[in-house]
Amino acid sequence: MRAKPNIVVTGTPGVGKTTHAELLARNTGLKHLSINDIVKSEKCHEGWDDELETWIVDEDKLLDTLEDLVAPGGQILDWHACDLFPARWVDLVVVVRCDSTILYDRLTARGYKGKKLEENMDAEIMQVLLEEARESYEEEIVVELKSDTAEEVEGNVERIEAWIAQWTKDREDEEEN
């Protein structure tokens, strides 16, 4: 049994996943794992997709790379997808959402355009990642959080911190019994 939970923070690019993950890591001592960074540094990809301007992820290699990191718990997995992570790894899935007008501004400020911009906007509008999370994990561990403002992000982080504290207490109580 893990002493600390593993949390997946997922959502469309630009919604605030990394902001949430970094704040949670800083405030809780859990480790922030940027899956994009791991894909690049550990070469868990099959090359670059010029049209979408992204790495073509080798999911098997990525999972093999992550297995030992997540086994003891205490990890925050920050990525734009969640369904490839085995349910046995995951204690909470946070799907970060954002108003489409705000998201459009964030993505264009990042230089997204063409098909990459269109696909990411469509994914957010159609709730693709929320549905993916709901289909891949038990309903009670999936939470949808809005991230339009700094105040919402702050409130979300506090809410997740409270969840971590309760999760930890529940594990300690189980060990006593």
Side-chain angles (χ1 to χ4, degrees):
M1 186 162 47
R2 292 187 284 271
K4 295 181 180 177
N6 286 323
I7 300 172
V8 173
V9 178
T10 191
T12 307
V15 296
K17 294 179 303 297
T18 300
T19 300
H20 280 80
E22 287 174 348
L23 286 169
L24 280 168
R26 187 184 72 209
N27 294 355
T28 65
L30 299 182
K31 184 169 192 266
H32 174 212
L33 294 179
S34 168
I35 303 304
N36 281 336
D37 290 348
I38 291 170
V39 166
K40 289 182 258 186
S41 68
E42 301 299 319
K43 297 182 177 39
C44 299
H45 59 80
E46 299 166 352
W48 182 256
D49 181 320
D50 287 327
E51 186 177 16
L52 293 177
E53 300 175 25
T54 190
W55 294 104
I56 302 164
V57 176
D58 180 337
E59 292 183 358
D60 291 332
K61 185 171 183 184
L62 176 61
L63 291 173
D64 288 344
T65 300
L66 292 172
E67 181 96 40
D68 291 336
L69 293 173
V70 301
Q75 308 300 314
I76 302 167
L77 292 88
D78 165 8
W79 206 32
H80 61 267
C82 66
D83 62 341
L84 78 145
F85 303 125
R88 70 181 185 280
W89 288 9
V90 181
D91 300 295
L92 180 67
V93 179
V94 177
V95 182
V96 182
R97 303 288 314 281
C98 183
D99 176 80
S100 58
T101 304
I102 293 169
L103 181 61
Y104 182 87
D105 292 343
R106 290 177 184 176
L107 293 177
T108 55
R110 287 183 177 188
Y112 282 42
K113 56 188 180 293
K115 188 171 183 180
K116 186 172 187 171
L117 175 62
E118 183 181 322
E119 283 198 3
N120 283 295
M121 289 301 302
D122 287 350
E124 184 63 16
I125 292 165
M126 301 300 289
Q127 303 184 45
V128 170
L129 293 167
L130 179 60
E131 293 305 315
E132 180 181 289
R134 287 177 173 160
E135 290 171 9
S136 301
Y137 303 98
E138 296 294 326
E139 181 181 340
E140 62 270 9
I141 73 163
V142 177
V143 63
E144 173 186 9
L145 299 176
K146 199 114 171 84
S147 175
D148 294 344
T149 66
E151 293 77 20
E152 286 176 335
V153 171
E154 210 172 283
N156 293 343
V157 169
E158 289 171 5
R159 182 174 170 189
I160 298 165
E161 288 171 1
W163 179 90
I164 293 167
Q166 186 62 52
W167 186 95
T168 304
K169 182 184 179 309
D170 290 349
R171 297 307 163 286
E172 290 168 354
D173 290 349
E174 285 176 17
E175 285 180 13
E176 288 177 11
N177 296 330

